[in-house]
């Protein structure tokens, strides 16, 4: 399980260091793709396969679900780590997430989210909690 928040950055060649703690869990490589709220998501190869299997069950008849699957798969890239523990963020993903230089990288259960620091720190960031709304939603899950 991925946990923790790290501030890091990308270099001029679009390389980011994946925190060592997370690299150890990812193994030899990973998959990076778009996330729902303007972030990027990094999955281990094993967890990506599990996500892909779940997406196989999404019905083709649901337009929004079909758009979601298309966006996730068409933007997915397999990555390997260089000697310094870096991966390359493809230009299209960098643009999607509005990444310039500074990043916030966080472990979120079975994935790692990568946010542009400016987006994460923005007052209107939809990825941050609104305590009252979150509490209301969690009631239905027994929290």
């Amino acid at each position: 399980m991925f946990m923790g928040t790290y501030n890091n950055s990308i270099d001029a060649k679009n390389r980011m260091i994946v925190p060592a703690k997370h690299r150890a869990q990812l193994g030899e490589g990973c998959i990076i793709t778009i996330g729902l709220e303007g972030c990027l998501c990094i999955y281990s190869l094993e967890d990506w396969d599990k996500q892909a299997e779940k997406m196989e069950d999404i019905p083709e008849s649901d337009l929004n679900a079909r758009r979601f699957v298309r966006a996730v798969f068409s933007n997915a890239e397999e990555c390997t780590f260089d000697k310094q523990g870096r991966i390359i963020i493809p230009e299209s993903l960098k643009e999607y997430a509005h990444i310039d230089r500074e990043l916030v990288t966080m472990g979120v259960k079975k994935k790692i989210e990568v946010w542009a620091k400016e987006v994460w720190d923005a007052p209107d960031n939809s990825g941050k909690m609104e305590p009252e709304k979150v509490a209301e939603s969690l009631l239905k899950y027994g929290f």
Side-chain angles (χ1 to χ4, degrees):
M1 182 172 299
F2 296 104
M3 300 183 295
T5 300
Y6 305 88
N7 290 298
N8 52 351
S9 61
I10 62 170
D11 64 16
K13 295 180 181 178
N14 292 350
R15 298 175 298 193
M16 70 166 272
I17 293 177
V18 175
K21 179 179 170 184
H22 292 165
R23 258 191 337 266
Q25 291 178 261
L26 290 169
E28 294 298 312
C30 59
I31 302 290
I32 186 167
T33 191
I34 63 169
L36 285 175
E37 297 164 299
C39 67
L40 303 178
C41 294
I42 299 174
Y43 296 91
S44 71
L45 297 175
E46 180 182 337
D47 283 327
W48 173 254
D49 288 342
K50 290 176 185 175
Q51 289 292 347
E53 283 181 32
K54 286 181 187 177
M55 287 188 244
E56 283 291 324
D57 295 332
I58 295 175
E60 289 281 324
S61 58
D62 184 324
L63 176 63
N64 287 321
R66 202 168 55 240
R67 287 176 175 161
F68 167 75
V69 170
R70 182 181 302 125
V72 169
F73 275 89
S74 66
N75 287 288
E77 294 280 340
E78 188 168 349
C79 302
T80 55
F81 302 104
D82 68 11
K83 292 176 186 171
Q84 286 76 39
R86 300 175 296 194
I87 60 170
I88 295 174
I89 298 177
E91 191 65 36
S92 61
L93 294 182
K94 187 178 155 194
E95 288 173 15
Y96 170 82
H98 305 287
I99 293 171
D100 182 34
R101 180 151 169 76
E102 300 301 312
L103 304 172
V104 177
T105 304
M106 59 190 71
V108 183
K109 297 182 353 177
K110 294 197 176 247
K111 66 183 175 191
I112 300 164
E113 292 184 353
V114 180
W115 292 80
K117 185 164 177 37
E118 299 80 23
V119 172
W120 182 253
D121 289 343
D124 63 343
N125 177 6
S126 65
K128 290 189 177 177
M129 283 196 322
E130 294 181 45
E132 297 82 20
K133 290 181 181 179
V134 170
E136 185 178 310
S137 290
L138 290 176
L139 281 175
K140 62 184 164 193
Y141 302 110
F143 284 89

